[in-house]
């Protein structure tokens, strides 16, 4: 039988067996105190994953809290935003309808249609003002030049000119300037885009286009009479 040394206690695990008077092949019984054992600290990767899980849980809790608050707000303000929603009940009986809601149900529409009609009216008036501004500008700057050209051409065609060729050239240049100015004014007026339902604004634009187009046609007719008068003067020389 092997020799047992009951009083040998190994306090230094790194010491050789001979230090404890033990030989190779000796049986050793190790007693370990597990009551004071502590778990190993977590690694960095485990700590990082634990922090991530904690952050995700906090975010989910915050989202759930926000959704709950939004749902409460919708429930509290749902009747004010949706007039067609049924009235809340109290003690099993529906509350009495307000005069405004009753009036809306009788007429089949809400008073909110008023601002829409007003907005359309304001938009149409703005378009009418734009057309009026373009037409007023043409009347104050372009039409006076047209009238001056008309007067000079009338004098040339009714009274023999001492220099018909020079006068004819000058009137052709004036006609080109007047025609260009009238065309620019016409394009400004005709370029105002108007929806089909704005009948008043469309009528105003049509009237302005007819006026400017008429002046352009009249200027072209004056040029033809001036050209014919110049030919007549040249043939009589």
């Amino acid at each position: 039988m092997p020799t047992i040394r009951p009083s040998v206690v190994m306090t230094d695990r790194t010491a050789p067996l001979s230090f404890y008077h033990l030989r190779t092949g000796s049986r050793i019984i190790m007693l370990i105190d597990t009551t004071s054992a502590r778990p190993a600290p977590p690694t960095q990767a485990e700590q990082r994953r634990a922090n991530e899980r904690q952050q995700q849980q906090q975010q989910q809790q915050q989202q759930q809290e926000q959704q709950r608050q939004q749902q409460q707000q919708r429930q509290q303000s749902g009747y004010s935003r949706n007039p067609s929603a049924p009235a809340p009940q109290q003690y099993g009986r529906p509350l009495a309808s307000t005069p405004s809601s009753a009036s809306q149900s009788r007429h089949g529409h809400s008073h909110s249609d008023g601002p829409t009609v007003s907005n359309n009216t304001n938009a149409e008036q703005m378009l009418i003002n734009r057309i009026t501004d373009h037409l007023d500008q043409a009347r104050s700057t372009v039409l006076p030049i047209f009238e001056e050209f008309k007067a000079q051409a009338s004098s040339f065609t009714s009274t023999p000119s001492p220099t018909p060729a020079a006068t004819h050239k000058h009137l052709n240049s004036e006609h080109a300037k007047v025609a260009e100015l009238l065309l620019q004014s016409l394009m400004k007026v005709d370029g105002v885009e108007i929806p089909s339902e704005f009948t008043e604004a469309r009528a105003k634009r049509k009237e302005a286009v007819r006026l400017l187009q008429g002046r352009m046609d009249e200027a072209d007719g004056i040029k033809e009479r001036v050209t014919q008068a110049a030919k007549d003067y040249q043939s009589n020389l």
Side-chain angles (χ1 to χ4, degrees):
M1 293 181 63
T3 303
I4 301 175
R5 297 176 180 273
S7 61
V8 175
V9 179
M10 298 177 63
T11 58
D12 187 359
R13 296 181 183 181
T14 62
L17 296 177
S18 60
F19 179 79
Y20 296 102
H21 305 285
L22 298 174
R23 297 189 303 272
T24 303
S26 300
R27 295 182 179 181
I28 301 173
I29 299 175
M30 298 182 65
L31 301 177
I32 301 175
D33 185 8
T34 60
T35 59
S36 61
R38 296 181 180 179
T43 63
Q44 294 181 356
E46 293 175 347
Q47 185 65 33
R48 183 173 62 254
R49 288 194 294 270
N51 294 337
E52 292 177 354
R53 286 194 298 269
Q54 185 178 3
Q55 291 178 358
Q56 291 177 358
Q57 292 176 357
Q58 291 178 355
Q59 291 178 358
Q60 291 178 357
Q61 292 176 357
Q62 292 177 357
Q63 292 177 357
Q64 292 176 357
E65 181 65 20
Q66 291 178 358
Q67 293 177 358
R68 186 182 63 81
Q69 293 178 358
Q70 292 176 358
Q71 185 176 3
Q72 289 180 354
Q73 293 177 357
R74 286 195 296 267
Q75 291 176 353
Q76 293 175 359
S77 59
Y79 293 102
S80 61
R81 292 199 306 267
N82 187 8
S84 61
Q89 294 185 358
Q90 184 177 9
Y91 302 109
R93 296 182 180 180
L95 298 178
S97 302
T98 59
S100 58
S101 60
S103 176
Q104 292 175 4
S105 61
R106 285 198 304 270
H107 294 284
H109 61 83
S110 173
H111 293 288
S112 60
D113 295 340
T116 303
V117 176
S118 177
N119 292 338
N120 290 340
T121 303
N122 294 337
E124 183 175 14
Q125 186 59 45
M126 290 176 62
L127 293 175
I128 293 175
N129 294 340
R130 284 181 56 188
I131 297 171
T132 303
D133 291 342
H134 291 323
L135 188 58
D136 290 344
Q137 184 179 8
R139 284 172 173 168
S140 61
T141 59
V142 180
L143 294 188
I145 299 176
F146 166 78
E147 294 297 335
E148 179 65 21
F149 164 72
K150 181 179 179 180
Q152 294 178 7
S154 178
S155 177
F156 177 75
T157 55
S158 60
T159 305
S161 174
T163 56
T167 304
H168 181 213
K169 182 178 180 180
H170 169 73
L171 291 175
N172 281 342
S173 177
E174 289 296 311
H175 170 266
K177 180 173 67 175
V178 169
E180 179 66 22
L181 293 175
L182 287 172
L183 179 60
Q184 291 178 1
S185 300
L186 179 61
M187 292 177 63
K188 289 180 181 179
V189 172
D190 196 43
V192 178
E193 297 183 359
I194 304 175
S196 58
E197 62 270 18
F198 291 171
T199 56
E200 184 178 355
R202 293 175 70 88
K204 186 70 175 180
R205 184 183 62 181
K206 183 177 181 180
E207 178 184 355
V209 168
R210 186 184 297 111
L211 186 147
L212 295 172
Q213 185 65 54
R215 294 298 186 274
M216 291 180 65
D217 295 341
E218 187 176 357
D220 292 340
I222 292 174
K223 179 185 177 182
E224 293 179 359
R225 292 195 296 270
V226 168
T227 301
Q228 185 62 40
K231 290 180 180 180
D232 294 341
Y233 291 150
Q234 190 68 25
S235 62
N236 294 331
L237 294 179

